[in-house]
């Protein structure tokens, strides 16, 4: 293995371009991604999707099976050319999920560690570290040992340590996962500030959609080693590409086939039909309101918010809702201010209603019900299939 | 095995350890007699010989006996050689422990078994082996003699060699255990921060296994101090040159039992001191850092 493309000194930050292929036992990770300087990409996915493996290849803790990784003018990994720059030479800042602060060093020396490791004199390294602690409001913790810090404080110190290493790429692995709910809220706000202040590209791995929406400019959804969706937070939230994303953002999602472009009738794969006339049922674009133009046989994804569905215990009068179907109550779950009713039918659906409505309707599992939804609440968009290797 | 020291969370209330012990006692109740009786026999068996030593001790003439029997010479030689053996063991044993714990190469398990063989090998066999390797006509010793004029058997240096051979595995095993249980995540973190492997070893790994290293060094030192078989076989029993405390005790027993008891008492005191040091390290990891 050779080293390549490493210039001395801090280089101006460049964009990250990565084409990642990793084989690990029977598991294969394939992801292509590009992140501009100053931009934050969230990698969202369930456990075992390959998020951490992706992060480790970018950090230089694992080599690619195929593909390449470039930051600016530096090639960090190129399986074809036999180039692999190990983590120690990459200048990559990593905030690990478990922080990995050195327990025997003070907070100040933890933050000064990378300068010391690169041969900076102790006094100067400590002065620079003190500046970073100052900037992140951590100066009063400087003499403490990591064992004396709360989770939120340790997380801040880990970020300070990563930023102090003057990284070309910042990687954060579930940075808020180990924190309690209140601290998470607080740190999330701070983290957003620090990420936007960082000049290079950042990648945030998370399984929390809210974290991804709040912190990232773009979201990449990873499932079973494949990229299933890339887009802006708005895009992903409104037009989930898979069931996993739909559940994360709280939508009912149905793949189907357009059978009548005029009435916008979609035959759903899982059985049943829905008329989709929702606002935004458009071609593909984020913000443009392209008119819904489709041909019979087009593959579509249909989304329907649980709050847009009504439940009835008797057949509803033929009225304005264009979508009426039957089902059986499968379960009830009390959320904070509403009840989520799972209904088996064609299609099955999650429905949000008020606790009062549950009482009025005397809903119990096994009870047959009618569901209605206005066509204008049903949104359809083209199903692009897996977007792997095509960000 | 000693584990890397970790600070106890500051929130833990004092006395929790005692509370937990009591609750276990509440659950288990009394010790059943099939266990209690053999346990009592074992305690008696382990402690009564020491009582015998204390009863038989010539307390009055102790200082005079120690001076006359040449015990001070033997004690000084023992302390010097055991300390030298420990220093050598640390210098070479810690890197070997690192290799055994971290490096990946074929035959690692076999190497580990061979390296720790002196743990179970009868020391006298070790002494014979050393003689045939490093003795005057040994396959290495003959060259040392011819080329450098170095002779190891029956010298103080030979004592150190014998003690190192027997004691170093104790250090290796202890340190290797600590290295295996040490958090590799910290090594990765250090790498992303630009630390090369040896820098990481020096600044992260070594400080973290410090307590285990000390425990291993103390064990190694104690083993070297008590070494008898390999020493007498390889280095002989020359007063002032190769006669360490255990050898002096053995020799004194034949002509002056009082002196043997006095010397044994000295070794007992040293052993108790070592034990106290080890318990401090093992039972309260972190507090003594």
């Amino acid at each position: 293995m050779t080293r390549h493309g490493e210039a001395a000194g801090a280089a101006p930050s460049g964009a990250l371009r990565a084409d990642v292929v990793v084989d690990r036992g029977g598991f294969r990770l394939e992801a292509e991604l590009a992140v501009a300087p100053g931009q934050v990409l969230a990698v969202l996915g369930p456990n075992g999707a390959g998020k951490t493996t992706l992060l480790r290849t970018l950090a230089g803790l694992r080599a690619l099976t195929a593909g390449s990784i470039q930051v600016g003018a530096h090639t960090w990994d190129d399986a074809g050319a036999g180039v692999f720059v190990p983590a120690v030479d990459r200048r990559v800042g990593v905030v690990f999920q478990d922080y990995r602060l050195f327990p025997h060093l003070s907070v100040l020396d933890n933050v000064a560690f990378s300068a010391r490791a690169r041969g900076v004199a102790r006094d100067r390294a400590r002065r620079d570290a003190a500046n970073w602690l100052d900037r992140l409001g951590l100066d009063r913790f400087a003499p403490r040992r990591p064992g004396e810090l709360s989770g939120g404080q340790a997380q801040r110190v880990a970020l300070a340590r990563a930023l102090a290493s003057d990284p070309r790429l910042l990687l954060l692995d579930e940075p808020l996962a180990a924190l309690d709910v209140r601290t998470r809220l607080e740190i999330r706000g701070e983290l957003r500030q620090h990420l936007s202040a960082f000049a290079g590209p950042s990648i945030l791995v998370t399984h929390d959609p809210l974290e991804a929406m709040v912190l990232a400019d773009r979201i990449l959804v990873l499932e079973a080693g494949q990229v299933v969706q890339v887009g802006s937070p708005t895009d992903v939230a409104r037009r989930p590409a898979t069931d996993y994303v739909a559940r994360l953002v709280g939508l009912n999602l149905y793949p189907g086939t357009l059978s009548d472009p005029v009435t916008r009738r979609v035959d759903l794969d899982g059985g049943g039909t829905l008329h989709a006339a929702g606002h935004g049922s458009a071609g593909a674009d984020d913000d443009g309101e392209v008119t819904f133009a489709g041909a019979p046989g087009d593959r579509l994804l249909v989304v329907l918010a649980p709050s847009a569905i009504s439940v009835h215990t008797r057949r509803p009068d033929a009225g304005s809702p264009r979508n009426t179907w039957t089902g059986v109550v499968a379960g009830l779950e009390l959320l904070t201010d509403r009840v989520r009713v799972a209904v088996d039918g064609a299609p099955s659906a999650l429905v949000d209603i008020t606790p009062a409505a549950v009482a009025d309707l005397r809903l119990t599992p096994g009870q047959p019900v009618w569901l209605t939804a206005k066509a204008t609440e049903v949104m359809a968009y083209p199903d692009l299939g897996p977007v792997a290797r095509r960000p | 095995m000693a584990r890397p020291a970790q600070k106890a969370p500051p929130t833990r209330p004092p006395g929790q350890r005692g509370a937990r012990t009591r609750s276990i006692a509440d659950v288990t109740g009394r010790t059943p007699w099939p266990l209690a009786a053999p346990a009592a026999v074992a305690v008696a068996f382990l402690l009564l010989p020491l009582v015998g030593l204390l009863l038989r001790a010539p307390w009055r003439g102790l200082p005079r006996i120690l001076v006359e029997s040449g015990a001070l010479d033997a004690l000084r030689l023992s302390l010097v050689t055991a300390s030298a053996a420990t220093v050598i063991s640390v210098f070479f044993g810690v890197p070997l422990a690192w290799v055994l714990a971290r490096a990946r190469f074929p035959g690692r398990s076999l190497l580990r078994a061979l390296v720790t063989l002196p743990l179970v090998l009868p020391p006298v066999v070790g002494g014979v082996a050393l003689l045939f390797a490093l003795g005057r006509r040994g396959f290495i010793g003959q060259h040392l003699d011819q080329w450098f004029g170095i002779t190891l058997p029956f010298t103080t240096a030979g004592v150190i060699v014998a003690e190192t051979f027997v004691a170093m595995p104790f250090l290796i095993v202890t340190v290797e255990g600590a290295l295996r249980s040490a958090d590799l995540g910290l090594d990765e973190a250090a790498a992303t921060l630009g630390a090369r492997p040896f820098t990481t070893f020096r600044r992260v790994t070594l400080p973290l296994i410090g307590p285990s290293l000390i425990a291993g060094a103390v064990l190694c030192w104690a083993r070297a101090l008590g070494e008898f078989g390999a020493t007498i076989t390889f280095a002989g029993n020359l007063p002032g040159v190769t006669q360490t405390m255990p050898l002096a005790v053995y020799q004194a027993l034949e002509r002056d039992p009082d002196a043997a008891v006095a010397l044994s008492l000295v070794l007992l005191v040293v052993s108790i001191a070592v034990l106290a040091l080890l318990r401090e390290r093992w039972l309260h990891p972190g507090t003594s850092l």
Side-chain angles (χ1 to χ4, degrees):
Chain A
M1 295 190 196
T2 58
R3 286 193 195 139
H4 172 82
E6 280 299 305
S13 48
L16 166 75
R17 288 181 310 282
D19 175 11
V20 172
V21 180
V22 179
D23 282 324
R24 193 191 63 198
F27 179 82
R28 187 178 180 90
L29 167 71
E30 282 181 291
E32 203 173 315
L33 45 118
V35 189
Q39 212 185 40
V40 182
L41 174 78
V43 176
L44 184 65
N47 288 334
K51 305 190 297 290
T52 298
T53 303
L54 175 62
L55 205 74
R56 291 177 64 81
T57 61
L58 296 173
L61 298 170
R62 176 178 199 113
L64 295 176
T65 307
S68 65
I69 297 171
Q70 287 177 326
V71 170
H74 306 281
T75 299
W76 280 354
D77 199 338
D78 189 336
V83 175
F84 177 73
V85 179
V88 56
D89 293 314
R90 282 195 184 189
R91 282 196 172 266
V92 52
V94 185
V95 176
F96 294 94
Q97 184 175 355
D98 48 357
Y99 314 137
R100 301 191 183 177
L101 298 174
F102 304 119
H104 60 296
L105 297 178
S106 68
V107 163
L108 184 70
D109 284 335
N110 262 283
V111 177
F113 185 91
S114 97
R116 293 285 291 133
R118 291 184 170 118
V120 175
R122 178 183 297 178
D123 286 349
R124 225 197 102 197
R126 284 194 170 157
R127 239 187 350 264
D128 292 349
N131 281 338
W132 275 104
L133 290 178
D134 230 16
R135 204 179 304 183
L136 274 76
L138 295 167
D139 36 333
R140 68 183 182 285
F141 301 115
R144 297 219 197 150
R145 293 286 173 92
E148 300 165 331
L149 301 176
S150 71
Q153 290 158 359
Q155 204 282 336
R156 290 181 179 105
V157 173
L159 180 66
R161 186 178 66 172
L163 289 172
S165 71
D166 186 23
R168 295 194 177 102
L169 170 69
L170 187 61
L171 303 172
L172 304 103
D173 189 4
E174 307 265 8
L176 307 179
L179 302 176
D180 60 77
V181 177
R182 234 190 82 202
T183 318
R184 196 177 298 176
L185 206 66
E186 192 182 313
I187 303 260
R188 194 161 58 207
E190 280 180 31
L191 193 56
R192 193 180 152 82
Q193 279 183 352
H194 298 309
L195 285 179
S196 59
F198 177 64
S202 310
I203 292 184
L204 166 87
V205 157
T206 181
H207 65 263
D208 178 356
L210 193 58
E211 205 171 299
M213 309 271 168
V214 174
L215 294 175
D217 302 305
R218 287 170 68 74
I219 295 177
L220 180 151
V221 185
L222 202 61
E223 279 179 54
Q226 301 287 321
V227 178
V228 294
Q229 188 168 16
V230 184
S232 68
T234 321
D235 200 21
V236 172
R238 295 185 59 197
R239 299 187 189 124
T242 67
D243 217 33
Y244 163 75
V245 188
R247 257 180 290 129
L248 280 185
V249 299
L251 292 173
N252 292 300
L253 177 80
Y254 311 105
T257 310
L258 184 63
S259 60
D260 183 352
V262 180
T263 60
R264 295 171 176 179
R265 191 183 121 121
V266 183
D267 292 338
L268 307 179
D269 294 354
T273 61
L274 284 173
H275 294 275
H279 182 74
S281 294
D285 223 48
D286 253 2
D287 21 38
E289 286 184 36
V290 185
T291 16
F292 186 79
D298 278 3
R299 294 292 300 159
L300 295 177
L301 290 173
V302 180
V303 288
L304 181 51
S307 57
I309 305 176
S310 308
V311 185
H312 312 267
T313 46
R314 268 168 280 164
R315 172 182 286 280
D317 300 334
S320 55
R322 298 265 302 279
N323 298 298
T324 303
W325 72 102
T326 59
V328 174
V329 175
L332 297 138
E333 183 193 356
L334 182 65
L335 305 179
T336 44
D337 58 340
R338 58 198 196 279
V339 176
R340 177 154 289 186
V341 186
V343 179
D344 284 343
S348 297
L350 295 173
V351 184
D352 284 357
I353 58 177
T354 61
V358 174
D360 287 348
L361 296 170
R362 298 184 176 281
L363 290 181
T364 52
Q367 184 175 359
V369 289
W370 278 267
L371 300 179
T372 58
K374 290 179 183 168
T376 51
E377 300 278 4
V378 182
M379 193 173 77
Y381 48 93
D383 183 359
L384 301 171
V387 288
R389 312 184 68 71
R390 192 164 46 77
Chain B
M1 235 15 64
R3 302 181 37 161
Q6 278 178 339
K7 283 271 184 230
T11 51
R12 190 159 98 186
Q16 194 191 340
R17 193 190 304 265
R20 189 163 45 205
T21 308
R22 197 172 57 235
S23 74
I24 288 171
D26 288 346
V27 170
T28 55
R30 287 184 184 178
T31 310
W33 68 264
L35 295 179
V41 172
V43 168
F45 177 72
L46 291 174
L47 290 185
L48 285 181
L50 298 181
V51 172
L53 197 61
L54 294 176
L55 287 177
R56 181 65 180 73
W59 294 105
R60 277 199 179 167
L62 204 56
R64 183 184 49 80
I65 294 171
L66 285 177
V67 171
E68 282 179 3
S69 63
L72 293 181
D73 270 352
L75 182 61
R76 188 188 47 79
L77 186 69
S78 273
L79 294 179
V80 166
T81 53
S83 301
T86 305
V87 169
I88 294 171
S89 297
V90 168
F91 189 80
F92 292 102
V94 171
L96 178 54
W98 191 93
V99 168
L100 291 177
R102 297 280 173 88
R104 308 209 169 282
F105 56 90
R108 188 174 61 160
S109 313
L110 183 66
L111 181 65
R112 181 185 295 122
L114 289 176
V115 159
T116 50
L117 186 62
L119 277 181
V120 289
L121 193 71
V124 65
V125 177
V128 172
L130 283 172
L131 213 49
F132 284 105
L134 300 174
R136 270 212 165 149
R137 269 161 292 172
F139 73 100
I140 299 171
Q142 57 181 333
H143 298 303
L144 287 179
D145 194 23
Q146 285 167 12
W147 297 344
F148 308 107
I150 296 173
T151 317
L152 286 174
F154 311 109
T155 63
T156 304
V159 176
I160 297 173
V161 167
E163 288 181 352
T164 306
F165 180 80
V166 173
M168 182 150 64
F170 285 82
L171 180 102
I172 294 172
V173 167
T174 311
V175 173
E176 195 211 340
L179 284 171
R180 279 163 167 274
S181 61
D183 184 3
L184 278 176
L186 292 178
D187 287 44
E188 289 185 349
T192 65
L193 292 166
R196 307 212 165 269
F198 187 65
T199 307
T200 304
F201 175 75
R202 215 161 36 85
R203 288 179 182 273
V204 179
T205 314
L206 209 49
L208 285 177
I209 64 160
S212 299
L213 177 57
I214 291 170
V218 171
L219 263 181
C220 171
W221 188 80
R223 182 67 189 84
L225 192 73
E227 165 44 32
F228 179 89
T231 308
I232 201 166
T233 314
F234 183 60
N237 189 10
L238 309 171
V241 181
T242 69
Q243 191 181 72
T244 56
M245 283 293 276
L247 305 190
V249 171
Y250 182 72
Q251 197 175 39
L253 201 53
E254 287 178 352
R255 45 180 176 80
D256 184 1
D258 274 358
V261 173
L263 291 166
S264 299
L265 277 178
V266 173
L267 281 180
L268 183 62
V269 168
V270 172
S271 305
I272 289 171
V274 166
L275 200 61
L277 190 60
L278 280 184
R279 286 177 65 83
E280 191 59 33
R281 289 284 166 190
W282 275 345
L283 294 187
H284 310 291
T287 54
S288 48
L289 252 191

